[in-house]
Every structure is written in structure tokens, then in C-alpha cells.
Amino acid sequence: MAPAQAGLWDRAVNSLSDEDKRAIDFSRTGNKSAILSDVLGLAEQKREICMQKGWRYTRKNGDVVIVRDVCEKLIKWVSKFKEVGDVAVHYDPAHASLPWAAVRFFLQVSMNDVQTFGAMAEGLELVSSQITRCTLYEQLYLSKAAAVASDLELALLRLYTTILVYLAGARRYYAKGTLRRLGASLIDTSDSVHASLAKIAVEHDQVERCTRLFDSEQSQDISTGVNRIQASVDGLAADLNSLKVDTSTSQEVKYQALRTILTSLEQPILRAGNQLSDLHINLQKEQRRKVLSWLSNVRYREHHRSSFAAVMPGSCAWLQQKSEYIDWKSSSISSILWVHGIPGSGKSKLVSTIIQSLLSSKTNSIATSAVAYFYCARDAAEPQRADPDQVMRAVLKQLACFDTSEPIHPAVLREYDKRQRDADEDGLDPFQLSLQDCLDLVLEITDQKPAVIVLDALDECNRLRRHELLQALRNIVQKSTNLVKVMVSSRDDADIVCRLNNVPNVYIRSDDNRDDLNRYIDTELEKAICEQRLLKGRVPEGLRVLILRTLKERASGM
């Protein structure tokens, strides 16, 4: 069934001023599939250019954006939009060809100034995400009868209109020559373009509110219908009708497929890096082992397995719902996220779930960001876990070669060979890398691929030298030409607070862990009773309730 309004984009065009209508008269040569193919090809070309030139641009607020990552996102939105067309066979996105033609137009414009292109690319990425997401909303919601459908339709119309106003303003701005853009009129025009982008975000929020209301309304209808079915079998036919159950299997398959696409929009993009496997670097197994052992012999994989194994299934998910975490993970800005809290607040367990999520994404994807992690600890049996040099060596080792299917990065091999030759003259083992040596090599690696680095329990690191480690992480974030995300967890030690108080952060409060902790107490008490470890399993219900209440009240989120 086609959406209730198949011409929302056309209606948005009709609401524009004559000046804006003239500005958005983009060529729509080629059919809709050709336009999308053009956009995809152009975005891929721009991504390659950005990778080769290491383009970054600085926003007005000082944030440095990795431009190739913006192009990666744009490619994702185009691909997802094409998926919608493949699933919704009766959907004709011709009415959306205008905004895609606009995206194609801007990508065809030759821009050698990174600041200009970077700002334009961010705007196009935002527009592309809205086109794709809202096309799904039209398919999923506007074809169904619901009280909020008219509100959603109006919200979509306002959003589409705002997007077209932005595109019109952007065309007038970028149509000016470089010198004219740098002239006196630049400030007024560029500010107007940025204001339109801000309005798009506002209208998008209104659309999201409508979809949430729609989902809530549908859930209530289903719940009411189920109750009626249970109360009266005789009313089954009427109840099914009130529930608007679609008896068509193909329609249900289509609906679920569109839902899957919508959910997938929240998944991280595959940030491609240069594939070193093309270099066909062949090392004998023993030689490879020597290089990796020289880099680091810290058993970081065992530390992760041990930490993650202690996490109760389904717990610690709240951190990934925090806006600070979502922004850190999804933005095209290299940055540090600081997760901090009092001792015993569950920082390491939270971090282990993040690391596991990153590792799972890497395992299930090709050419994703490199991932490195480290669990710091003050442990007499493993003193290297508190040594900043050892931390950086372990990070470098993972970035240089995460698993046996990958070749070791040539920059690391060159450094090892050089030191091995020097050491051979004296019959010694090659000298190990310093923290600065590791930093230089990490920067060389992140010139070729994006990376994510996660460090747990920084406060457990050598107090006299951990500032060096923090500064190295800052340098990686600030100097890498590719996107680099760093997450650090710690207690609120004064020196760490001083150095991280200006970065995005998540403070762990007792309420954050409350649901996880209550579930853990329920589970463990039940297990203790079943295994007869508590009062030989003979625990009266009243005592059981008292134990649960007391433990939960006194736990205070720890």
C-alpha cells in the first residue's frame, strides 16, 4: 500500500518562495536510480580524495571534523535509501529525486578549499540522513490509520520544506566565487546556511516525537485488542479487525524488512581503511611471533575475557543509551570520552561491554576501524599493567595487527628490523619502544585507517607518569588524519580530573546501575536458595522479601 501522501516533497516545493524555487531548480537528468548511482559514485570519489589528502576542517566552535568520515556516512545513507526501494517494490521515490539531485549537484561542484568542502559535506550528510530516515517513516507510518498520522505528515512536510530552504540557500552561497565568499557578504550568507541546518535539527526532533507517539498508540491498540480477545473468544473477528491485523504475509514481510532497515540506521558505519593485505607481506610464523612479542607480552585478551565473563547478561546496556556516548561514537570528530565514578561503581564492567561490542562489530565486518584496548591495574604479579610504556606498546600492537589474519603494519616491521640489526651487532634482543616511539608509529598507522582506543582504570596507572599517557592520547586525537575515538575510564583522582575536565564525560551515578544491581541481587539470591547455600534452601517468603529489600536499599548502586 502506498503512503497516504506520496507527494510531500512536491508540496514542500510549492510552499517555497519564488526565489527559493528558482534556486532549487536542480537538473534531474536520468531516472531516479541513475541519480542515486551518481550520488554514490561521487561520494566514493570524494571519500578517496579526502583519504589521500587527509582532509580535516575546523568548525566555528573549534571542533575538528574528519571529512572522509562524513563521506562514509553519506555513502551509508544512499545505500540505505536504495535498500528501501528494493524492499518496498510499490514505492516510487520519484518525489524524492529533487533533494537527491541537489546532493548530486553539490558533489559535482569542484572545491579545493577543505573548509568549504567540509562544511558542505556535513550539510549534505545531514540532508541525506533525513531523506532516508523520513522515507522509511512514510512507508511505516503514513500508510496506517492512526490519530497521530496527520501530525506526523505535517511534521514531515515542515522538515522537507526546511531542507529545501537550506539547499536553496546553500546553492546561492556556493554559487559565489571563492573571493566573493571571502568578502563581506560571507558572514551573513554562511550564517543563514548554518541557521537552516539548525532548523532542520529542530524539525527532525518534532518528527521523532510523532513517531514515538505513533508507536505508543499502536502498542496501546494491540494491548487493548489482546485483552478483548482473552475476555471473549466470540469477539475474535471484531478484535482482529480493530487491531488492523494485516493478513497478507508479503505485507508483513515488507513491514519487518523496513523495520530492520530503520534499526540498522543506528548501527555504526563501516569506516574503511587501506587494506594492507594487498601488500602480501609474508612472515614466517616464528618471525611474526618474535615481532609481536617484542611489541608487547601483556595478556590483554585474557584480561578482557576475565572482565567480560563477570558481566551479567543483559546488564550495563544503559551506557550505550547515554547521549554523550552516542555522540562520541557517531560523530565525525576525533575525541576522548571519559567515563568516571567512585570506586565500586562498575566502571570496568561497563568498559568491558563496550570493548566486547567493538570487537563483535569488527568480527562481523570487513575493513572496520582498528580496535585497541587495555585494562590498567596495580598488580604485583603483572607490574607492566601500570606502566604507561607498556600500555602504549599493547595499544600499538593491536593497531598494527589485531589478529592472525592481518599482516603486521610495515611501519612496525621497519622499526623492528632496524632495531634488530643494531641489536645483532651486540648479540642482544632489540631494544623496546618508548612511549614516544609508540606514539609516532600509532600516528603513522592512523594515517591509513581509523581507530578506536579504550583504556580502563587509568587511575591504576603509575601516578607519576600517567600524565604522559594522557598527553599521548590527546596527541593521537589531535594529530591523526583519520578518525580516532578514545575512551578512558577512571576514578576522580585530582590529576586526572584536571586533565579531562574539558572533554565529553559520563559520570556514573547510583541510579544508573540500580536496575542492573537489583536484577543481580534477585538472581544471586534465587541461586543461593536453589543451591541450598542459604539456610539449606529453606527460606520463608517473608524472609526472602526482607533480604531482597535490605540488600537493595543498602547497595546504593554499588
Side-chain angles (χ1 to χ4, degrees):
M1 180 177 179
Q5 281 290 348
L8 287 178
W9 282 106
D10 293 327
R11 292 169 60 189
V13 171
N14 292 333
S15 69
L16 298 178
S17 67
D18 290 340
E19 181 185 11
D20 284 341
K21 286 179 182 177
R22 287 192 295 271
I24 64 166
D25 186 21
F26 299 102
S27 170
R28 300 194 216 182
T29 56
N31 58 37
K32 55 185 179 290
S33 297
I35 293 176
L36 290 173
S37 296
D38 288 347
V39 172
L40 193 58
L42 289 164
E44 290 171 344
Q45 290 175 19
K46 297 295 186 183
R47 178 186 64 188
E48 293 304 313
I49 292 172
C50 292
M51 288 176 64
Q52 293 168 9
K53 296 185 176 182
W55 268 5
R56 310 192 302 172
Y57 96 97
T58 305
R59 292 176 177 167
K60 285 187 174 182
N61 63 2
D63 288 339
V64 178
V65 178
I66 308 299
V67 185
R68 64 75 65 87
D69 196 68
V70 178
C71 294
E72 295 273 15
K73 292 178 179 177
L74 179 54
I75 291 168
K76 168 186 174 178
W77 299 126
V78 180
S79 300
K80 291 298 179 182
F81 185 86
K82 294 179 74 172
E83 282 186 39
V84 176
D86 292 340
V87 170
V89 293
H90 298 299
Y91 171 62
D92 179 6
H95 70 291
S97 63
L98 172 61
W100 283 123
V103 174
R104 178 176 64 178
F105 170 83
F106 287 116
L107 288 175
Q108 288 172 331
V109 175
S110 176
M111 295 185 187
N112 295 318
D113 173 48
V114 63
Q115 285 293 116
T116 303
F117 178 74
M120 181 200 72
E122 278 210 295
L124 295 183
E125 187 273 323
L126 176 61
V127 168
S128 300
S129 71
Q130 297 301 314
I131 299 171
T132 302
R133 189 179 296 275
C134 291
T135 297
L136 280 163
Y137 289 161
E138 287 191 54
Q139 286 291 299
L140 289 169
Y141 296 117
L142 294 191
S143 60
K144 295 180 179 292
V148 76
S150 60
D151 292 336
L152 175 59
E153 180 182 315
L154 183 59
L156 285 169
L157 180 60
R158 286 198 300 265
L159 175 57
Y160 292 173
T161 303
T162 306
I163 289 174
L164 293 177
V165 169
Y166 161 73
L167 292 172
R171 183 172 190 179
R172 286 191 291 269
Y173 171 62
Y174 291 116
K176 299 179 179 181
T178 303
L179 291 178
R180 291 186 62 195
R181 285 200 300 267
L182 294 175
S185 63
L186 168 63
I187 296 177
D188 292 340
T189 309
S190 63
D191 282 352
S192 174
V193 171
H194 284 292
S196 294
L197 284 175
K199 289 179 181 177
I200 290 175
V202 171
E203 297 299 344
H204 166 75
D205 288 343
Q206 183 58 42
V207 169
E208 291 295 322
R209 280 193 288 272
C210 288
T211 60
R212 288 194 294 270
L213 287 172
F214 196 109
D215 287 336
S216 176
E217 181 179 298
Q218 292 296 305
S219 296
Q220 291 174 5
D221 287 347
I222 291 173
S223 177
T224 301
V226 169
N227 288 336
R228 287 199 298 270
I229 290 171
Q230 292 174 340
S232 174
V233 175
D234 294 336
L236 179 59
D239 290 331
L240 288 175
N241 181 59
S242 70
L243 282 171
K244 303 291 189 293
V245 174
D246 189 348
T247 58
S248 169
T249 302
S250 62
Q251 286 291 337
E252 179 61 23
V253 169
K254 166 189 165 183
Y255 179 83
Q256 292 302 329
L258 291 172
R259 273 287 180 187
T260 299
I261 296 174
L262 181 62
T263 301
S264 73
L265 297 185
E266 309 305 327
Q267 298 301 314
I269 63 171
L270 302 187
R271 295 181 165 108
N274 295 341
Q275 297 304 293
L276 293 174
S277 56
D278 293 339
L279 299 177
H280 300 294
I281 300 173
N282 294 312
L283 288 176
Q284 294 296 326
K285 185 175 182 180
E286 183 60 22
Q287 179 69 1
R288 179 187 178 91
R289 189 195 66 78
K290 286 181 179 178
V291 175
L292 295 178
S293 179
W294 166 74
L295 280 172
S296 174
N297 57 12
V298 176
R299 298 180 179 276
Y300 49 82
R301 294 183 196 272
E302 289 185 13
H303 302 152
H304 172 64
R305 281 193 288 266
S306 175
S307 182
F308 186 67
V311 176
M312 182 175 62
S315 63
C316 298
W318 61 265
L319 176 59
Q320 298 184 50
Q321 307 304 317
K322 289 278 189 180
S323 60
E324 296 87 353
Y325 176 83
I326 295 172
D327 290 344
W328 169 80
K329 187 175 182 180
S330 62
S331 76
S332 296
I333 301 169
S334 294
S335 60
I336 298 176
L337 178 67
W338 179 31
V339 178
H340 58 118
I342 61 175
S345 57
K347 296 182 293 296
S348 292
K349 298 296 184 291
L350 284 167
V351 170
S352 72
T353 62
I354 297 299
I355 293 173
Q356 187 62 31
S357 174
L358 292 169
L359 296 180
S360 297
S361 297
K362 182 172 179 62
T363 300
N364 296 330
S365 306
I366 299 175
T368 54
S369 301
V371 177
Y373 59 89
F374 195 92
Y375 290 85
C376 302
R378 291 196 191 104
D379 187 342
E382 295 181 288
Q384 65 269 40
R385 294 179 67 182
D387 182 349
D389 290 325
Q390 294 280 3
V391 175
M392 280 300 293
R393 287 176 200 148
V395 167
L396 172 62
K397 178 180 179 179
Q398 294 170 77
L399 297 182
C401 175
F402 189 78
D403 58 44
T404 56
S405 66
E406 297 181 5
I408 298 174
H409 194 281
V412 174
L413 290 178
R414 287 195 299 269
E415 187 64 27
Y416 175 81
D417 289 341
K418 175 178 176 295
R419 294 183 181 226
Q420 182 66 68
R421 287 194 300 271
D422 293 341
D424 285 343
E425 294 180 2
D426 299 318
L428 301 173
D429 291 330
F431 195 70
Q432 286 194 304
L433 298 167
S434 67
L435 188 147
Q436 183 61 48
D437 295 330
C438 293
L439 173 59
D440 294 339
L441 289 168
V442 167
L443 288 173
E444 191 166 348
I445 291 171
T446 56
D447 273 345
Q448 297 180 322
K449 61 182 176 181
V452 182
I453 301 171
V454 182
L455 299 187
D456 178 55
L458 180 65
D459 54 286
E460 296 284 313
C461 202
N462 185 321
R463 183 181 294 272
L464 298 178
R465 293 195 58 212
R466 61 193 182 200
H467 67 279
E468 299 176 36
L469 183 56
L470 273 175
Q471 187 57 50
L473 295 174
R474 284 187 179 277
N475 287 338
I476 293 170
V477 166
Q478 293 169 0
K479 297 180 180 180
S480 294
T481 56
N482 268 306
L483 191 69
V484 176
K485 304 288 188 178
V486 174
M487 175 184 285
V488 174
S489 77
S490 77
R491 299 177 184 179
D492 287 331
D493 289 3
D495 62 313
I496 297 177
V497 172
C498 180
R499 288 177 171 82
L500 294 179
N501 62 358
N502 63 339
V503 305
N505 70 94
V506 175
Y507 181 76
I508 303 174
R509 308 178 188 281
S510 59
D511 285 347
D512 292 326
N513 282 324
R514 190 178 305 279
D515 290 343
D516 286 346
L517 185 60
N518 288 346
R519 194 155 56 87
Y520 175 78
I521 291 172
D522 290 338
T523 301
E524 290 302 309
L525 180 61
E526 189 65 29
K527 185 188 297 185
I529 294 174
C530 290
E531 295 176 356
Q532 299 183 344
R533 291 184 286 112
L534 180 63
L535 298 178
K536 297 182 178 180
R538 294 190 289 271
V539 180
E541 181 61 22
L543 178 58
R544 179 179 173 278
V545 172
L546 177 61
I547 293 172
L548 286 174
R549 184 172 66 245
T550 303
L551 288 174
K552 291 177 181 179
E553 288 176 353
R554 298 188 180 183
S556 300
M558 296 176 60

